[in-house]
Amino acid sequence: MAIKKREARTATPPPATNDQDAVARKAEEFGKGGYAPEVVEVPLNPSAPVGPQGILFRFNDYQKQLLKESAEADRRSQQKLLESIIWPELERRKAERNQ
């Protein structure tokens, strides 16, 4: 079985002389960086936090499985389940301290 070769694409015709001037101007602007947005440099704050602002929460395999099963039973994500338990409890404790 012979392999059929694709037909070569025809080259696009060269642009008209007015178009050549426009293309040349655009190429020159591109070479000068005229295409890029202006960047305003802001000094870095050395005391700014670095990296993600998450909190590490450690638990063992049993607790991980318990969390997974509880989230599935409540039909919520593990994150939503933890938030629904932790935040009300912390607010309750704060109210007790402030009494």
Side-chain angles (χ1 to χ4, degrees):
M1 183 162 113
I3 297 176
K4 284 180 134 182
K5 291 187 177 180
R6 294 184 193 171
E7 292 182 23
R9 292 184 182 178
T10 58
T12 57
T17 54
N18 290 341
D19 289 342
Q20 284 180 343
D21 293 339
V23 170
R25 280 195 307 272
K26 286 184 180 180
E28 188 175 334
E29 286 179 24
F30 184 83
K32 291 180 181 176
Y35 61 92
E38 286 190 31
V39 177
V40 179
E41 292 198 24
V42 178
L44 296 176
N45 181 356
S47 62
V50 178
Q53 296 300 309
I55 296 174
L56 295 177
F57 191 82
R58 297 182 183 166
F59 45 87
N60 60 30
D61 291 337
Y62 168 76
Q63 292 167 332
K64 184 177 183 179
Q65 187 64 30
L66 180 64
L67 175 62
K68 182 179 178 182
E69 290 173 3
S70 298
E72 287 175 0
D74 286 357
R75 300 184 73 190
R76 294 194 271 184
S77 69
Q78 296 176 14
Q79 179 73 31
K80 293 283 185 187
L81 178 62
L82 287 173
E83 288 175 355
S84 70
I85 297 168
I86 292 172
W87 297 124
E89 177 62 20
L90 292 177
E91 289 171 356
R92 183 188 65 78
R93 289 181 182 187
K94 181 178 180 181
E96 286 179 359
R97 282 193 307 267
N98 290 338
Q99 286 181 355

